[in-house]
């Protein structure tokens, strides 16, 4: 005899799968989000298109990697923008591994000094929140907090005076 509870559970499971992996039905979602990138005349327009596309890809099923690629391209165009790192982290927060990869790529792409220091600080702060989520990665979060603290102390320290001629001899 068939147990109807199992049959109902199987049908419910299939309905959930069909709902979750349904194709996008609206015409707005059917268009590629990066459309118009070639027509953009300024870097600000290109960044805006890429960030909007990244946010839209992040909400699609299986679109997190494309979202990360859009945010990475945008940060190459505007490397001094802290807002790009924050918006990328906000969009990719449901995908911690992809977010971690995006942030480490951002940190490795540019020096941590000068105008990009704030971008590095924002990326490190976002990495701390990613690593704080799981108990096995909390030591990494503590290490990155120490890196942030040392980055702040280096920024607050006065520049070193040039060595005297007497000290050199």
């Amino acid at each position: 005899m068939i147990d109807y509870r199992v049959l109902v559970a199987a049908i419910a499971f299939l309905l959930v799968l069909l709902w979750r992996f349904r194709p996008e039905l609206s015409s707005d979602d059917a268009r590629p989000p990066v459309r118009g990138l070639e027509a953009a005349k300024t870097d600000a327009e290109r960044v805006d298109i890429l960030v909007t596309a990244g946010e839209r890809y992040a909400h699609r099923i299986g679109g997190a990697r494309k979202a990360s690629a859009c945010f990475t391209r945008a940060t190459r165009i505007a490397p001094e923008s802290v807002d790009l790192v924050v918006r990328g982290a906000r969009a990719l927060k449901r995908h911690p591994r992809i977010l971690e990869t995006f942030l480490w790529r951002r940190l490795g792409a540019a020096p941590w000094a000068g105008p990009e220091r704030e971008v590095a600080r924002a990326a490190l702060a976002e990495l701390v929140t990613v690593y704080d989520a799981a108990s096995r990665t909390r030591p990494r979060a503590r290490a990155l907090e120490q890196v942030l603290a040392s980055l702040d102390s280096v920024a607050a320290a006065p520049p070193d005076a040039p060595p005297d001629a007497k000290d050199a001899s």
Side-chain angles (χ1 to χ4, degrees):
M1 186 109 204
I2 297 176
D3 188 8
Y4 290 105
R5 292 178 290 184
V6 173
L7 185 62
V8 168
I11 291 172
F13 177 72
L14 286 174
L15 289 174
V16 167
L17 283 178
L18 287 174
W19 174 258
R20 185 83 171 124
F21 294 106
R22 73 191 182 284
E24 298 293 334
L25 298 177
S26 71
S27 62
D28 186 40
D29 288 338
R31 285 186 295 138
V34 189
R35 174 175 277 163
L37 188 61
E38 295 83 20
K41 299 204 182 338
T42 65
D43 284 345
E45 290 175 354
R46 288 184 190 95
V47 167
D48 187 45
I49 290 170
L50 286 168
V51 169
T52 304
E55 289 171 343
R56 288 182 59 199
Y57 275 131
H59 294 295
R60 288 184 177 179
I61 297 170
R65 291 197 190 281
K66 288 182 181 179
S68 176
C70 287
F71 285 115
T72 301
R73 282 179 69 185
T75 57
R76 285 187 193 130
I77 295 171
E80 298 173 1
S81 176
V82 176
D83 185 48
L84 290 178
V85 173
V86 173
R87 287 177 72 179
R90 191 179 330 130
L92 294 170
K93 70 181 175 186
R94 291 180 18 198
H95 309 280
R97 285 193 175 182
I98 295 173
L99 173 59
E100 176 187 16
T101 303
F102 164 67
L103 292 172
W104 278 116
R105 283 183 181 160
R106 181 66 207 114
L107 285 170
W112 294 12
E116 294 166 355
R117 175 185 298 272
E118 291 304 314
V119 176
R121 291 186 78 253
L124 286 169
E126 294 295 339
L127 274 172
V128 167
T129 60
V130 169
Y131 289 145
D132 256 344
S135 61
R136 66 181 178 84
T137 57
R138 284 197 186 112
R140 292 181 192 171
R142 300 297 82 76
L144 289 177
E145 285 174 347
Q146 291 178 8
V147 169
L148 272 171
S150 67
L151 197 62
D152 290 339
S153 67
V154 168
D160 293 336
D164 291 336
K166 292 180 185 176
D167 294 338
S169 54

